[in-house]
């Protein structure tokens, strides 16, 4: 008789955003007339930029003619996209990354869940707490996290690095030595980040202790302060200790288009074994390339028109972020984030738990946010709102919250 | 110090098609003037059908306007596509599969590599030999295959089911009891298949022995004989023992578009645990949906126009298959397949090994095929040609081979 992967049985509840979707669906069914404003899941609302649309139409036309049809893409991505990535995201920032260190994928969610596969089963992982749930969940599925304690909502073998008001949301070096360190900076959900100097300390720490950093830079486009690194490879020594994951979802609104990439430097090794070679093999065996049309769309985000249009989109969302932040502050809330990231992280009022505040907001303001505790135990007592709504909806949500 | 997944080190060589690509690149560099005809990798050459192109343009336009923009897709696929799949691929054939048993993905390669994740590490896998290499390789990566013996090119813990001329390419029930049985029917690479009655025996065997069947139906559109099942769910009892994987790559030319789906029936359980629930959780955690534009393209393959256009495409390739088969037979080759699948499987002449014949063909006819031994030890002495080239190229390749 076949057996299942028992690790799945250890996972508590369902994926955070599935739970939220179910709660909202139940509320909507019970209250059919209510106009819900969703500032929960970090999904964008602005349409794709005209330069991207144009590139996609052109690519679709190419797929319709035998002379310009494209079948299987190269496993690791088309050169036109890998070259554009290197030129714009790395060379322009003085980072020495080459095109064959770029692995194009169907998005940073897949990459951040899959990357653990090339690592050993006994590695100890460290995560910021709170953080995007995929890092821990994907490690639970492969048996790296030990035993779950329902009371503290923690895993025995995961090293948590609390990021709270008290430490200014800056993770501290853990007491135990981790093997794999997940850093999402600017952070989802807190919307906060660390300086380049602080990131350099993490790179030094990883190189010294023999840890690998999985650096999730999905929100990089929202960085506004000059002392924050746009890539971990701006730090000296990062190529021997860090994998960087990037997404087109937030800077270009590709949540429904699906495109991302991982950087695995050739200098990153475990003994003699190149992780670059392993990830190449993983992609070659388990993935068949991102769609041609989508890779052309990605290329268009780097054209002069594309860049200008995306800059406007980012500014649009950051105007929302700024409005939510100042509006909530005026209403007496304690609020973080929103400067280098499109997320607002607030202390729940009246000592409500995160889920209590979720229900309170859903029922009394018909606004959907994300409970902080869903991102880790130290997220308890906090709540995330995203700036990815339309201006009108964001304004509307803010007015409803202020009236509470 | 972090550790790597040591299983990767066990993998011999690189992924088959990467090796072929490298050999062809080296030949081209040494012989720059030569006109190579590629009948190797199973990639299509005909452009996307007009109905698909039209649907994609429409979807691209939707993505360019705020009112019709689509962000994150539902994890498991849009209802419009899942409903079309159920209606056309299952209900029309009398199979009782519901839309929420369909899991839309970025292709059958990903699904066939990822599906093993939800199973236990000690399960014994059984594969047809020869077969698509991803089944074994993905199990090697997760440590399920034991020790590799370079001489016999076999893994100690894999149960091989030889499919050769001698048994008419019909896999026989293995002596050892497998937990997971991979069946690719019509088979890649042999281009042969089994009857519905024979498939029913496999379903009965799996239900009796407590095995799960991973049924890869990527070539289903090419079935021409009436006694062959188009879905394993045409067999009685398959819902308690089988997962079916389907692709849009071969029936609709989506190799560069990326779309597939898995069927995980709710009746498929290990004790009390539903594999449907596990795969739902896997998709929710590690995947973020196929692109909206691509799912609309998939839907268009089921429209009356789409169906008619794809029927023509399939007929085009099957005309190639028939031409290769009869041409090679006339030239004295022993040839199989090509009736229910777009692959021609031939015995290498003069006792050449598969790779010897690969080199011989590349150097003397400038034609690229795929060495049978790359698909498993029982593929030694065989060679695969695909019917996915253009008519002109296929004819050209055939003429060159006949002149040898």
């Amino acid at each position: 008789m076949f057996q299942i992967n028992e690790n799945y049985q250890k996972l508590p509840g369902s994926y955070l955003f599935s739970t939220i979707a179910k709660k909202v669906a139940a509320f909507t069914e019970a209250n059919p007339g209510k106009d819900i404003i969703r500032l929960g899941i970090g999904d964008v609302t602005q349409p794709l930029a005209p330069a991207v649309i144009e590139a996609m139409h052109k690519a679709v036309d190419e797929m319709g003619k035998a002379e310009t049809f494209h079948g299987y893409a190269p496993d690791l991505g088309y050169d036109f996209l890998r070259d554009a990535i290197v030129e714009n995201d790395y060379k322009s920032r003085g980072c020495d990354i080459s095109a064959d260190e770029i692995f194009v994928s169907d998005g940073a969610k897949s990459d951040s869940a899959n990357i653990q596969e090339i690592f050993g089963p006994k590695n100890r992982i460290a995560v910021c707490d709170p953080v995007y749930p995929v890092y821990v969940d994907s490690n639970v599925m492969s048996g790296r996290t030990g035993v779950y304690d329902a009371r503290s909502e923690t895993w025995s073998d995961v090293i948590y690095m609390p990021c709270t008001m008290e430490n200014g949301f800056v993770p501290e070096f853990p007491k135990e030595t981790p093997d794999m360190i997940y850093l999402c900076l600017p952070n989802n959900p807190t919307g906060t980040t660390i300086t380049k100097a602080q990131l350099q300390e993490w790179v030094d720490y990883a190189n010294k202790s023999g840890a690998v950093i999985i650096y999730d830079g999905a929100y990089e486009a929202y960085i506004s302060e000059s002392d924050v690194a746009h890539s971990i490879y701006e730090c000296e020594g990062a190529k021997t200790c860090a994998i960087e994951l990037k997404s087109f979802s937030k800077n270009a609104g590709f949540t429904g288009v699906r495109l991302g990439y991982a950087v695995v430097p050739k200098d990153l090794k475990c003994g003699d074994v190149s992780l670059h070679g392993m990830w190449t093999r993983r992609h070659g065996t388990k993935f068949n390339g991102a769609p041609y049309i989508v890779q052309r769309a990605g290329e268009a985000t780097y054209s002069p028109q594309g860049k200008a249009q995306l800059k406007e989109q980012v500014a649009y969302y950051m105007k929302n972020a700024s409005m939510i932040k100042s509006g909530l502050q005026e209403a007496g809330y304690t609020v973080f984030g929103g400067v280098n990231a499109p997320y607002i992280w607030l202390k729940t009022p009246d000592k409500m738990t995160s889920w209590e505040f979720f229900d309170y907001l859903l029922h009394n303001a018909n606004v959907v946010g994300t409970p902080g505790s869903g991102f880790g135990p130290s997220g308890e007592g906090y709540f995330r709102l995203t700036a990815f709504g339309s201006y009108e909806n964001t304004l509307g949500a803010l007015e409803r919250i202020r009236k509470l």
Side-chain angles (χ1 to χ4, degrees), chain A:
Chain A
M1 177 73 193
F2 74 88
Q3 298 301 312
I4 55 161
N5 177 346
E6 296 288 350
N7 295 313
Y8 274 63
Q9 301 308 104
K10 301 178 194 164
L11 283 161
S14 74
Y15 183 62
L16 172 63
F17 295 106
S18 314
T19 310
I20 293 175
K22 273 179 208 155
K23 274 191 173 253
V24 175
F27 178 80
T28 311
E29 206 180 311
N31 303 275
K34 299 288 186 190
D35 171 36
I36 308 256
I37 300 182
R38 291 160 201 268
L39 303 180
I41 191 164
D43 199 358
V44 297
T45 51
Q46 290 294 293
L48 297 181
V52 171
I53 293 291
E54 196 187 322
M56 292 181 100
H57 276 309
K58 188 164 168 267
V60 170
D61 281 334
E62 288 182 63
M63 296 294 281
K65 299 190 194 81
E67 316 83 69
T68 50
F69 175 76
H70 284 77
Y72 288 122
D75 286 344
L76 311 182
Y78 279 104
D79 286 341
F80 63 77
L81 179 57
R82 300 170 95 191
D83 290 341
I85 289 168
V86 162
E87 203 56 50
N88 291 280
D89 293 349
Y90 295 100
K91 282 206 175 147
S92 70
R93 288 176 187 133
C95 304
D96 176 29
I97 295 292
S98 63
D100 62 356
E101 293 174 313
I102 307 290
F103 295 76
V104 175
S105 77
D106 69 326
K109 183 177 178 189
S110 308
D111 281 342
S112 60
N114 293 333
I115 195 74
Q116 48 76 31
E117 283 181 30
I118 62 170
F119 293 98
K122 305 268 183 216
N123 285 353
R124 288 288 301 273
I125 72 161
V127 292
C128 291
D129 169 25
V131 83
Y132 183 49
V134 167
Y135 313 143
V136 170
D137 287 359
S138 59
N139 278 288
V140 173
M141 289 172 168
S142 50
R144 237 178 244 106
T145 57
V147 179
Y148 187 68
D149 177 53
R151 209 181 45 80
S152 65
E153 296 186 344
T154 57
W155 294 89
S156 60
D157 289 355
V158 172
I159 300 170
Y160 293 89
M161 304 182 291
C163 297
T164 61
M165 247 168 73
E166 287 67 35
N167 61 13
F169 302 99
V170 177
E172 291 157 40
F173 299 129
K175 287 191 196 97
E176 300 164 279
T177 307
D179 302 301
M180 295 160 61
I181 303 164
Y182 288 84
L183 294 177
C184 176
L185 294 167
N187 183 264
N188 172 12
T190 67
T192 58
T193 193
I194 65 177
T195 64
K196 183 176 162 182
Q198 288 170 322
L199 185 59
Q200 181 67 56
E201 289 177 27
W202 275 100
V203 168
D204 295 342
Y205 171 84
N207 273 323
K208 205 173 143 191
S209 62
V212 64
I213 295 176
I214 315 291
Y215 189 79
D216 182 347
Y219 300 94
E220 173 271 318
Y222 293 84
I223 293 171
S224 70
E225 293 180 319
S226 62
D227 62 349
V228 177
H230 287 254
S231 161
I232 194 167
Y233 303 113
E234 291 179 37
C235 296
E236 213 171 312
K239 283 168 71 176
T240 55
C241 70
I243 290 171
E244 181 162 291
L245 310 180
K246 290 293 289 289
S247 167
F248 289 79
S249 287
K250 314 294 165 150
N251 66 321
F254 277 26
T255 53
V257 176
R258 310 308 314 140
L259 190 66
Y261 66 85
V263 184
V264 187
K266 289 183 199 148
D267 292 346
L268 179 56
K269 292 183 177 179
C270 177
D272 290 341
V273 182
S274 146
L275 271 64
H276 182 275
M278 293 181 74
W279 195 239
T280 300
R281 187 68 198 242
R282 197 270 170 204
H283 252 41
T285 304
K286 296 190 170 188
F287 181 62
N288 228 336
Y292 174 70
I293 294 160
V294 170
Q295 295 197 51
R296 283 291 183 198
E299 183 193 26
T301 66
Y302 294 110
S303 71
Q305 300 88 327
K307 281 187 200 176
Q309 291 160 3
L310 296 186
K311 210 171 162 184
E312 271 180 49
Q313 261 186 28
V314 167
Y316 177 97
Y317 292 131
M318 287 310 275
K319 189 178 156 193
N320 287 347
S322 170
M323 178 170 70
I324 305 173
K325 189 167 190 177
S326 57
L328 290 178
Q329 278 172 334
E330 282 164 29
Y333 285 87
T334 306
V335 186
F336 306 93
V339 175
N340 294 301
Y343 292 126
I344 302 296
W345 187 242
L346 57 103
K347 274 299 285 168
T348 58
D350 306 328
K351 294 188 176 166
M352 274 191 242
T353 67
S354 298
W355 278 109
E356 280 167 2
F357 189 67
F358 174 90
D359 289 330
Y360 174 77
L361 217 57
L362 177 60
H363 286 263
N364 298 294
N366 308 145
V367 170
V368 179
T370 313
S373 58
F375 297 98
S378 296
E380 182 57 273
Y382 292 90
F383 199 77
R384 190 189 81 173
L385 291 173
T386 93
F388 285 130
S390 68
Y391 175 76
E392 295 71 25
N393 274 344
T394 307
L395 189 64
L398 191 59
E399 279 171 3
R400 292 187 196 171
I401 295 173
R402 293 180 66 164
K403 275 190 201 143
L404 288 176

